[in-house]
Amino acid sequence: MTTSQTISHWINNDVFTGSSGQSAPVTNPATGQVTGQVALASVEDAQTVINAAAAAFPAWRDTSITKRVQTLFAFRELLNARRGELAAIITAEHGKVLSDAMGEVARGIEVVEFACGIPHLLKGGYAENASTNVDVYNIRQALGPVAIIAPFNFPAMVPMWFFPIAIAAGNTVVVKPSEKDPSSSLWMAELWKEAGLPDGVFNVLQGDKTAVDELLTNPAIKAVSFVGSTPIAQYVYRTATASGKRVQALGGAKNHAVILPDADLDLAADSMVNAGFGSAGERCMAISACVAVGPIADDLVAKIVERAAAIKTGDGAKGSDMGPLITKVHRDKVASYIDAGEAEGAKVVLDGRNVTVEGAENGFWLGPTLLDNVTPEMSVYTDEIFGPVLSVVRVETYDEALELINNNPYGNGTAIFTNDGGAARRFQNEVEVGMVGINVPIPVPMAFFSFGGWKASLFGDTHAYGPEGVQFFTRAKAVTQRWADPSHGGINLGFPENN
């Protein structure tokens, strides 16, 4: 069943259909029905969108910080009042349950609110009479048009990690959403228009690799923010930096949670279920490896099974606990990892491969799955599965658990569950991961900190949002000034000295 809805590009505060004539289906994962067709940009379409952002930049850069922030405040008020609309769009195209979609929007709003305070963050420093009759000061200025390439799993929150700060700092923006759930960005574009954002400051470019490659290589784009898998993050980083751009490319993850013998096992089990199966595991901060230390593994597994078996899988708009996976292809790929884990010797303690939902048999369903006795050689451990599959790895000591994590090529997020403050302090110091939770399973920092991993989870030096986001979307300029006076000293070809 295909509807006539067309999901287009957005430039100069209006819909732009483009000229490629190419499109891709957008599907409701809970029903398997095609709900629309998203435009796929040609190179010429991408250039049209980029040119609109470039044309709007000088005027927006020169708009006062006060006026920019007033527009941002207006956007925040509209977004806060109508967040339910955006959450419903996310659920319809991504599949996550409404409560999860509302949480996604709420975390995005935090970054909008952080960006509302940007006048303080853009202040420079001033040194009067740094040298005789010479004053020195520094300022931070916008880069120009910037690109945001967003993943399917957070179609609203991830773009909001970047564009509020970019826009508040005086940049113009081109957002390239995932083709799988592209409507959220268009909805936010219309909200920006209602908030009074001038034409060309916020633009949406729909498309596939053709659109992405133009954003990575077009000289008008000055910086690229990307979130996605590690292989694509590496490609984005290499291609865009080779074209002279500033890049932050956030990649994949294999997040471990260490459960020490002294941990509160009920808290740990609740946390493993929440972090492993929330959003059907389609989170870069999901816990996918539960490392049980010492003699507590059997009790912990039993508690996880008891909780996970009660999860209701179904349509995210109809009161379920966990929704479908994003596509049938992805659902089948995740199921194949369960097959492989079982064949390699892991014990399938809870099996989600045969879950069905009455009245929605064509949805992309895979229930919560728990594998025990997983070892580091198994593909279910080595690969980022991105689905509701939690692996239990049994070790004897803290040192073994730490070695597992530090030997892993990813370094996005991790957690430790313990009542021993000394062990927690040692872990946060020794673990080679960018974001650490202590009795917190999904340690996504608040908006006034910054989000980012280590190792193969981040390419580029700058983390997302927070103070590092302001640094990424601005560049420093130092000004040294002296007003003419009779004692300037005349001709002197020596290198200037301070005195």
Side-chain angles (χ1 to χ4, degrees):
M1 178 179 177
T2 304
T3 70
S4 59
Q5 179 190 11
T6 300
I7 304 164
S8 301
H9 318 286
W10 180 272
I11 63 172
N12 292 328
N13 279 335
D14 203 356
V15 169
F16 170 56
T17 58
S19 59
S20 75
Q22 302 296 311
S23 64
V26 176
T27 305
N28 183 333
T31 64
Q33 294 179 340
V34 174
T35 58
Q37 296 287 329
V38 61
L40 298 179
S42 64
V43 171
E44 292 75 20
D45 293 336
Q47 290 172 346
T48 299
V49 176
I50 293 168
N51 289 343
F57 171 64
W60 184 243
R61 173 198 60 200
D62 294 338
T63 299
S64 71
I65 298 176
T66 300
K67 178 63 176 175
R68 296 201 301 257
V69 168
Q70 286 172 351
T71 307
L72 205 70
F73 267 107
F75 177 77
R76 184 265 179 197
E77 291 303 299
L78 291 168
L79 182 57
N80 193 47
R82 295 168 55 186
R83 62 172 71 189
E85 296 177 30
L86 182 54
I89 292 171
I90 294 168
T91 295
E93 291 188 346
H94 174 275
K96 66 179 65 176
V97 299
L98 274 172
S99 60
D100 192 25
M102 287 291 284
E104 170 180 347
V105 177
R107 294 306 299 265
I109 290 174
E110 289 179 11
V111 182
V112 178
E113 292 170 343
F114 171 81
C116 287
I118 207 161
H120 172 71
L121 299 169
L122 292 181
K123 291 188 303 184
Y126 192 102
E128 183 182 35
N129 216 37
S131 187
T132 303
N133 294 325
V134 174
D135 305 327
V136 180
Y137 55 96
N138 65 289
I139 54 181
R140 299 205 68 86
Q141 295 184 322
L143 305 176
V146 300
I148 298 165
I149 303 171
F152 76 83
N153 61 323
F154 286 102
M157 183 186 74
V158 166
M160 280 194 275
W161 281 357
F162 305 111
F163 70 67
I165 297 172
I167 289 172
N171 303 281
T172 55
V173 168
V174 177
V175 176
K176 210 299 285 182
S178 168
E179 312 94 282
K180 297 179 178 69
D181 46 11
S183 296
S184 296
S185 291
L186 274 186
W187 186 91
M188 290 187 288
E190 293 179 353
L191 213 66
W192 272 119
K193 179 180 180 179
E194 190 173 343
L197 193 70
D199 290 359
V201 176
F202 185 89
N203 308 275
V204 179
L205 175 65
Q206 309 286 6
D208 52 16
K209 187 175 183 293
T210 298
V212 169
D213 284 347
E214 186 61 27
L215 291 172
L216 301 183
T217 58
N218 190 298
I221 296 294
K222 303 304 179 185
V224 176
S225 299
F226 170 86
V227 177
S229 69
T230 286
I232 306 303
Q234 289 175 310
Y235 173 79
V236 166
Y237 184 75
R238 288 196 306 265
T239 306
T241 53
S243 296
K245 304 182 192 310
R246 182 177 291 187
V247 182
Q248 49 183 180
L250 284 68
K254 194 70 180 183
N255 302 323
H256 296 62
V258 176
I259 318 299
L260 294 185
D262 72 318
D264 181 330
L265 292 190
D266 289 315
L267 170 64
D270 287 344
S271 298
M272 293 306 93
V273 170
N274 294 339
F277 305 131
S279 195
E282 292 176 327
R283 293 172 176 161
C284 68
M285 290 296 286
I287 294 294
S288 57
C290 171
V291 185
V293 180
I296 50 89
D298 287 342
D299 288 345
L300 178 62
V301 168
K303 288 177 180 292
I304 293 173
V305 170
E306 177 186 5
R307 289 157 172 78
I311 291 174
K312 179 183 178 182
T313 302
D315 191 331
K318 297 180 179 179
S320 300
D321 301 315
M322 191 182 86
L325 293 178
I326 186 69
T327 64
K328 186 179 186 304
V329 170
H330 184 56
R331 182 262 169 220
D332 292 346
K333 180 180 179 182
V334 173
S336 74
Y337 276 107
I338 305 171
D339 298 340
E342 187 175 28
E344 293 167 2
K347 180 181 179 181
V348 182
V349 182
L350 185 65
D351 193 342
R353 286 173 288 187
N354 297 318
V355 166
T356 59
V357 176
E358 185 176 355
E361 288 77 9
N362 293 325
F364 312 136
W365 309 114
L366 186 72
T369 298
L370 183 66
L371 301 179
D372 194 7
N373 299 117
V374 171
T375 61
E377 298 77 28
M378 298 178 182
S379 61
V380 73
Y381 176 82
T382 59
D383 295 358
E384 183 183 27
I385 298 174
F386 225 60
V389 180
L390 180 63
S391 298
V392 176
V393 182
R394 299 180 179 227
V395 298
E396 291 300 319
T397 66
Y398 164 89
D399 288 328
E400 289 179 69
L402 181 70
E403 185 179 10
L404 268 180
I405 300 172
N406 287 350
N407 285 342
N408 196 276
Y410 297 107
N412 205 47
T414 190
I416 188 169
F417 287 82
T418 180
N419 284 309
D420 184 337
R425 192 172 187 275
R426 180 183 170 189
F427 183 76
Q428 74 178 35
N429 177 61
E430 295 177 338
V431 73
E432 296 173 9
V433 174
M435 292 170 284
V436 181
I438 298 173
N439 297 318
V440 174
I442 306 177
V444 176
M446 297 292 288
F448 39 85
F449 286 89
S450 295
F451 179 106
W454 289 11
K455 298 186 284 188
S457 295
L458 175 70
F459 301 91
D461 296 327
T462 309
H463 290 184
Y465 63 75
E468 292 195 41
V470 177
Q471 180 181 1
F472 181 79
F473 287 115
T474 58
R475 53 186 172 183
K477 180 181 288 183
V479 181
T480 304
Q481 69 175 12
R482 176 177 61 196
W483 299 106
D485 65 79
S487 59
H488 63 76
I491 299 297
N492 182 349
L493 300 187
F495 194 80
E497 297 182 24
N498 296 323
N499 53 66

